[in-house]
């Protein structure tokens, strides 16, 4: 298939710039892929479509305030860095802009507690920075860092926690697993009371999730790598759910990619920690996931390709068109869909 097969027209006015309040008040498109019907609800009513024996799989990664601005020691030039991946201790791979002002051995000051040296420039233009801090690195980062919001969000976020899920725990993402932003603690408690179990995986989302597919033939696209882990408890919950005939419902494409990566590698879900660059597009046979809660994704993105693999290409393009016609809110702070 070609990249252009996944294009759809989206008015800029439908790109959500701010999160809706409260979290669970967004619209929810209900997509039954078995009978081809599409209905609508409010997200907090998703509990009406879950049942005893189901398992919700949530990604508990927590977003770093990864966007920081440093002053070069020798010239005073200001350079923006976005932390992508921790290499070891206080050594991080970062995006730098403007890159020409951040070359090897250049030193930067971010605050009176945090500084760094560029130790290497990679072939793709990313930088390796070694940070020095008088306090805990993450404590210093929290004081100076900003949330690395996607490029299509033009407004400042007044509350950093609105770009975190209420269950975020494992610090390490450069972007939020946004399907989970719709849940409140109260809603999760209500869902549990129905006999629906909850399990957590961790996949640290990289900024590569926003990088466009540049090749026309999608099979030639190379996915970025992201780190994931699955605990023994979660593996047992998933395997027991499948054995007992319940549904494994992934909250977000990151949870989907995590469980499908493990199932593809090991033939089952087991306790593991690994990197994945799995690319799911039409023709992929799902090995673990039975239903998916997700947001509406960018045209021609790997994420709409994943949804198409699960719901079927023609059907996916139909309900995306309906979402535009019915003026759903799109992308990270937008509305959600439940595909089952």
């Amino acid at each position: 298939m070609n990249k252009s097969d996944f294009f759809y027209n989206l008015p800029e006015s439908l790109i959500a710039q701010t999160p809706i309040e409260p979290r669970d008040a967004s619209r929810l498109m209900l997509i039954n892929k078995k009978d081809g019907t599409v209905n609508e609800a409010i997200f907090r009513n998703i509990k009406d479509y879950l049942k005893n024996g189901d398992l919700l799989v949530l990604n508990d990664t927590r977003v770093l305030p990864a966007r920081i601005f440093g002053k070069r020691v020798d010239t005073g030039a200001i350079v923006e860095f976005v932390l992508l991946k921790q290499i070891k201790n206080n050594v991080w791979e970062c995006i730098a802009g403007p890159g020409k002002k951040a070359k090897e051995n250049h030193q930067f000051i971010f605050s009176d507690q945090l500084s760094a040296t560029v130790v290497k420039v990679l072939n793709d233009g990313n930088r390796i920075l070694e940070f020095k801090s008088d306090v805990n690195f993450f404590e210093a980062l929290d004081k100076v860092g900003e949330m690395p919001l996607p490029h299509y969000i033009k407004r400042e976020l007044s509350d950093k926690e609105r770009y975190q899920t209420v269950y975020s725990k494992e610090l390490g993402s450069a972007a939020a697993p946004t399907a989970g932003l719709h849940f409140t603690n109260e809603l999760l408690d209500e869902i549990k009371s129905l006999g629906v179990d909850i399990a957590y995986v961790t996949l640290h989302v990289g900024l590569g999730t926003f990088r466009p597919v540049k090749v026309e033939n999608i099979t030639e696209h190379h996915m970025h790598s992201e780190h994931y882990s699955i605990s023994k408890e979660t593996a047992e919950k998933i395997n027991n759910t499948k054995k007992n005939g319940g549904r494994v419902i992934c909250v977000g494409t990151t949870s989907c990619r995590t469980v499908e990566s493990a199932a593809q590698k090991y033939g089952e879900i087991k306790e593991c920690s690994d990197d994945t660059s799995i690319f799911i597009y039409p023709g992929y046979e799902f090995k673990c996931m039975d239903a998916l809660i997700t947001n509406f994704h960018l045209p021609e993105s790997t994420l709409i390709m994943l949804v198409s693999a699960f719901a079927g290409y023609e059907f996916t393009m139909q309900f995306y068109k309906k979402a535009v016609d019915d003026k759903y809110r799109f992308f990270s702070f937008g509305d959600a869909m439940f595909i089952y």
Side-chain angles (χ1 to χ4, degrees):
M1 298 186 77
N2 293 327
K3 176 180 72 170
S4 54
D5 292 331
F6 298 91
F7 179 80
Y8 64 92
N9 284 304
L10 180 69
E12 194 171 335
S13 61
L14 296 185
I15 301 174
Q17 293 296 313
T18 54
I20 201 165
E21 295 294 345
R23 286 176 182 259
D24 59 1
S26 61
R27 294 165 73 186
L28 177 67
M29 183 179 275
L30 297 159
I31 300 158
N32 187 324
K33 69 190 186 84
K34 293 185 179 120
D35 63 18
T37 57
V38 178
N39 292 292
E40 183 177 332
I42 300 299
F43 192 86
R44 68 173 63 96
N45 293 328
I46 195 168
K47 58 184 181 290
D48 297 335
Y49 304 92
L50 305 176
K51 56 193 177 186
N52 182 29
D54 285 344
L55 176 70
L56 278 186
V57 180
L58 309 176
N59 181 7
D60 65 2
T61 188
R62 186 167 175 79
V63 185
L64 290 161
R67 187 170 177 240
I68 54 177
F69 295 86
K71 180 188 287 187
R72 211 170 97 181
V73 171
D74 55 350
T75 66
I78 302 298
V79 175
E80 175 187 355
F81 295 94
V82 179
L83 279 64
L84 292 181
K85 185 167 62 175
Q86 188 174 25
I87 307 300
K88 61 178 182 179
N89 297 329
N90 288 344
V91 178
W92 287 77
E93 181 179 346
C94 308
I95 294 173
K100 62 184 179 181
K101 295 184 178 179
K103 296 181 179 177
E104 286 186 15
N105 299 318
H106 285 169
Q107 297 179 315
F108 291 86
I109 294 175
F110 301 94
S111 71
D112 56 359
Q113 295 180 324
L114 187 65
S115 62
T117 301
V118 179
V119 296
K120 189 174 183 180
V121 177
L122 301 178
N123 291 335
D124 60 4
N126 290 351
R127 269 61 177 168
I128 303 296
L129 266 64
E130 183 170 5
F131 288 90
K132 291 182 181 177
S133 177
D134 297 333
V135 295
N136 177 275
F137 170 77
F138 293 106
E139 182 183 327
L141 180 66
D142 194 54
K143 290 180 180 177
V144 299
E146 299 176 8
M147 284 296 167
L149 295 177
H151 60 86
Y152 48 75
I153 294 178
K154 311 299 182 187
R155 296 188 194 174
E156 294 262 341
L157 190 62
S158 57
D159 178 8
K160 286 182 183 180
E161 283 302 307
R162 282 306 270 111
Y163 195 56
Q164 305 278 15
T165 62
V166 296
Y167 48 80
S168 64
K169 178 183 174 186
E170 301 295 336
L171 200 59
S173 273
T178 53
L181 296 178
H182 303 282
F183 287 93
T184 64
N185 286 315
E186 293 75 18
L187 178 57
L188 288 170
D189 286 341
E190 287 183 51
I191 288 170
K192 288 182 205 171
S193 72
L194 299 172
V196 177
D197 206 352
I198 291 177
Y200 297 95
V201 297
T202 303
L203 181 138
H204 291 315
V205 189
L207 284 181
T209 194
F210 300 115
R211 286 180 181 154
V213 176
K214 294 182 178 178
V215 293
E216 183 59 19
N217 181 347
I218 66 171
T219 62
E220 296 173 1
H221 175 69
H222 296 289
M223 287 287 285
H224 57 287
S225 179
E226 295 167 317
H227 187 73
Y228 73 90
S229 59
I230 298 175
S231 68
K232 181 180 179 182
E233 179 186 10
T234 290
E236 289 175 350
K237 284 187 176 185
I238 292 173
N239 291 330
N240 287 335
T241 299
K242 300 294 282 187
K243 183 174 69 176
N244 295 328
R247 295 181 298 176
V248 173
I249 302 170
C250 290
V251 176
T253 56
T254 60
S255 296
C256 167
R257 293 178 68 243
T258 299
V259 299
E260 291 297 321
S261 294
Q264 188 177 71
K265 182 168 184 177
Y266 301 109
E268 62 176 347
I269 305 301
K270 60 189 288 186
E271 180 181 9
C272 55
S273 181
D274 208 342
D275 292 332
T276 181
S277 54
I278 191 172
F279 180 21
I280 297 175
Y281 55 87
Y284 178 85
E285 293 187 10
F286 287 83
K287 299 162 183 64
C288 180
M289 183 176 77
D290 299 301
L292 174 66
I293 297 168
T294 189
N295 284 14
F296 292 91
H297 305 295
L298 277 73
E300 302 185 334
S301 66
T302 60
L303 304 180
I304 191 175
M305 293 172 193
L306 184 154
V307 170
S308 297
F310 187 62
Y313 169 74
E314 297 287 351
F315 189 30
T316 297
M317 301 314 291
Q318 287 172 19
F319 61 70
Y320 262 80
K321 183 181 185 304
K322 179 173 174 56
V324 172
D325 292 344
D326 293 350
K327 294 183 167 49
Y328 276 74
R329 300 165 77 245
F330 278 68
F331 305 162
S332 294
F333 288 142
D335 297 317
M337 63 178 96
F338 178 35
I339 308 171
Y340 59 96

